Amino acid sequence: GVRRFCNHRNLFGRAEKLRIEGSVSRIGAGSSFRQLNYNAGIMFEKPGVLGPASKFISSLKGNFEHPNAYEKLSVDARAGLRYDIDRKQTVSGEVRVEWSRVTDSFSPVVPRRHLLVSIPLEYVYDGRDNRLDPTEGFRVLAYAEPTHDLFSGASFVKVRGEASAYQSFGEEDGVVLAGRVAAGSILGAGLAAVPADRRFYAGGGGSVRGYAFQGVGPRDAAGVPTGGLSFAETSVELRVKVSERFG
C-alpha cells in the first residue's frame, strides 16, 4: 500500500488540528485498479469549545474497499464533542451521516444503497499506567450507536463493550499477564437489513489471532462471510521481556 498524510497541529493558533490523508492498499491482490482499496479524508479538531476539557471533533471521509465480506463505496461525515471527565475518563458524542453502496452475500449482483443517520456515543475509562506499553491497570470501553436508514426505513442500535487488564510480575515488570474480553449486539433489525459494514466480524490481529481478517463467523453457501448480529471474544497472553529491546 501507499499512504500520504499532512498534519497541522496549530491551525489558527489555539491548538486546532487539521489532518488530510489518502491511501491506496491491496496492491498486488488483484489484477485491476477496481480491486484496490482507496481511502481519503479530512479531519479537524478544536479544543476548548465548552471549557478546557472539551474538544470539537469532525471528519469527512470517502472510501472504496473490498474486504472478504463485502464491497463498499461510501462518503462519511461526522461532527461531535469529546469531553475529558478527568485524567482517566472520557465521553464523546457525534452526529454521523453516511451514504454507501454495498455489495454483499445478500445482494451479490445489485448493490444496496444506504443513507444512514446515527449518533455514536462512547465512554472510556483508562486506568493503565502506560497507554503504549501497559504493565498495570485496566481499560473499559462502552459504545452505543442508534442508527436509521433513510433509504430502507430500517432502524437499529449497535452496542459494544470491551475491557482489558494488565498485571506485571518479576523485577522491572519483566513479565506481564494481559487479558481482554469484548462483546456486542445489534438490536432492532434483522441481519439482511443491517448494512454489511455495520455488522460484527471476528478474526485477525485485533480480534482472534491466527485467523484471517473476518475469517471467524457465519458464511453463506459460497463461503463468503455474512457477519453477525452479535459477537463475543476473549484472549489472554503472557508478555515476557527478554531484554530492553526484545520480548
Side-chain angles (χ1 to χ4, degrees), residues 17-32:
K17 293 182 180 179
L18 178 69
R19 179 183 177 93
I20 302 173
E21 64 181 19
S23 66
V24 180
S25 59
R26 283 176 56 90
I27 296 174
S31 57
S32 71

Side-chain angles (χ1 to χ4, degrees), residues 105-106 218-226:
S105 58
F106 292 101
R219 298 174 180 267
D220 63 13
V224 178
T226 64

Side-chain angles (χ1 to χ4, degrees), residues 61-65 72-76 98-102 197:
K61 298 180 180 180
N63 69 56
F64 183 44
E65 59 183 3
K72 174 189 172 186
L73 173 67
S74 71
V75 178
D76 187 337
E98 181 186 39
W99 174 91
S100 62
R101 187 186 70 192
V102 181
D197 62 302

Side-chain angles (χ1 to χ4, degrees), residues 123-142 160-167 176-183 206 209 233-237 239:
Y123 167 81
V124 177
Y125 177 90
D126 195 340
R128 299 173 296 177
D129 60 341
N130 187 318
R131 295 188 177 188
L132 299 180
D133 186 20
T135 61
E136 301 277 355
F138 65 94
R139 178 181 184 272
V140 176
L141 177 147
R160 180 170 60 89
E162 181 178 324
S164 55
Y166 307 84
Q167 179 63 55
V176 177
L177 179 65
R180 173 182 173 271
V181 61
R209 298 182 185 178
E233 61 188 26
T234 184
S235 62
V236 178
E237 66 183 32
R239 305 175 179 178

Side-chain angles (χ1 to χ4, degrees), residues 133 171-176 238-247:
D133 186 20
E171 296 181 1
E172 298 182 355
D173 299 326
V175 178
V176 177
L238 198 63
R239 305 175 179 178
V240 181
K241 183 188 295 185
V242 179
S243 68
E244 289 299 319
R245 295 177 178 267
F246 293 95

Side-chain angles (χ1 to χ4, degrees), residues 37-53:
N37 284 351
Y38 301 92
N39 293 274
I42 178 170
M43 285 75 72
F44 174 75
E45 295 182 359
K46 178 176 176 58
V49 290
L50 295 175

